[in-house]
Amino acid sequence: WQRPALRGADWLAAFGLVWFLGLTLVAACGPVTDWDGLSYHMAAPALYLRHGGIYWIPFIHHSNFPFATEMLFTPAIAFGQYPAAKVVHWVFYVLSVLSVGLLAERVSGKRTGLWASLAFALMPVAFWEASAAYIDLSTVAYTLLSCLALTEYFEHQDSSRAALFAAGLLAGFAAGTKLFSLGWVFLCCVWIVWENRGKSNSVKAAALFLCCAMVACGAWYVKSWVMTGNPIYPFLFHILGGRGWDEAGVAMYRNTW
């Protein structure tokens, strides 16, 4: 596939994209000042490095969330190059921007990619998080990429089982960054069954997708289960319990959200 040459207003969108990607990269190279980044996204990996491995941190309950993206910050922390952790998150901003454009063109069948990418790049929360040591843009990138892989699978089901595997792994990566992305994995399974309705392989395809997703993210939930007794800690505390959690924590989350 070869994209036609840019024309007319497309150049304006392309210039805007390059400008904002460059601007956020410059900001990402600055000191780490965001609260969540300092309090747990980077603090927990720093403690793991000091301890020589992953362990129970009683005063950072967030460390029991899926931590796939935070572990990518570890080399930056190990070498004392803390802004590099923000650059890692910025890379996911770029992947998200590109994925939005590709998905927009695949779904619409029109030359909408550049403008869709620019619209996402200019979203205030995305624009700000691109220069912070957060993890949300990695969740977005993996989710969008898994959606792209699924659309490829649906278009060429007879010859693109690899796309189904890729979609499952990418959805699993998303669930390895945020607990709530388990919802995306479930929705994808429903989507696969729906698109394959009337075919004998509908449940098998969904099961393959789910297996790939669990391979990609399962270790984080097993780790939480082993350390806290609750694989989705600290949620469903009244049913599953959770080490170091109590009613005060439940009330704090309820009042915050």
Side-chain angles (χ1 to χ4, degrees):
W1 177 72
Q2 184 175 1
R3 181 182 174 83
L6 297 180
R7 61 190 181 193
D10 287 348
W11 283 104
L12 180 62
F15 176 80
L17 270 178
V18 172
W19 171 259
F20 285 106
L21 290 177
L23 187 63
T24 51
L25 176 58
V26 171
C29 291
V32 181
T33 58
D34 54 276
W35 169 255
D36 283 7
L38 291 171
S39 64
Y40 69 94
H41 288 310
M42 296 180 66
L47 290 170
Y48 293 157
L49 284 169
R50 183 179 299 177
H51 182 76
I54 295 175
Y55 72 108
W56 162 257
I57 305 175
F59 53 89
I60 305 180
H61 75 270
H62 294 89
S63 64
N64 297 291
F65 289 172
F67 241 47
T69 304
E70 285 89 345
M71 299 311 290
L72 296 178
F73 298 162
T74 303
I77 297 168
F79 289 99
Q81 302 300 317
Y82 305 109
K86 299 199 299 177
V87 175
V88 170
H89 195 225
W90 174 85
V91 170
F92 285 109
Y93 175 63
V94 177
L95 288 174
S96 298
V97 166
L98 296 176
S99 299
V100 165
L102 290 172
L103 190 59
E105 295 208 348
R106 178 178 284 272
V107 172
S108 69
K110 299 178 181 179
R111 293 170 53 92
T112 57
L114 278 172
W115 290 99
S117 292
L118 182 61
F120 177 85
L122 289 175
M123 289 176 62
V125 66
F127 185 74
W128 176 78
E129 286 208 10
S131 59
Y134 277 30
I135 56 94
D136 305 88
L137 290 172
S138 64
T139 309
V140 172
Y142 289 136
T143 301
L144 289 169
L145 288 169
S146 66
C147 191
L148 273 169
L150 274 180
T151 59
E152 174 67 20
Y153 165 70
F154 293 140
E155 288 184 15
H156 309 95
Q157 290 190 33
D158 296 332
S159 60
S160 63
R161 178 167 289 186
L164 180 63
F165 288 137
L169 289 172
L170 288 163
F173 291 155
T177 65
K178 263 191 184 298
L179 219 164
F180 294 128
S181 288
L182 286 174
W184 171 244
V185 173
F186 171 76
L187 287 174
C188 286
C189 289
V190 174
W191 189 10
I192 292 168
V193 171
W194 176 258
E195 288 290 337
N196 288 308
R197 61 191 183 279
K199 299 179 181 179
S200 60
N201 68 335
S202 61
V203 175
K204 181 180 178 181
L208 286 172
F209 173 90
L210 182 61
C211 287
C212 290
M214 290 301 101
V215 166
C217 71
W220 295 109
Y221 295 91
V222 172
K223 172 247 182 190
S224 183
W225 187 16
V226 170
M227 289 189 173
T228 71
N230 182 349
I232 55 172
Y233 182 93
F235 303 102
L236 296 182
F237 173 73
H238 293 105
I239 300 174
L240 300 174
R243 178 184 180 189
W245 201 243
D246 52 27
E247 290 293 340
V250 173
M252 175 188 67
Y253 267 43
R254 184 185 299 118
N255 295 332
T256 300
W257 292 354

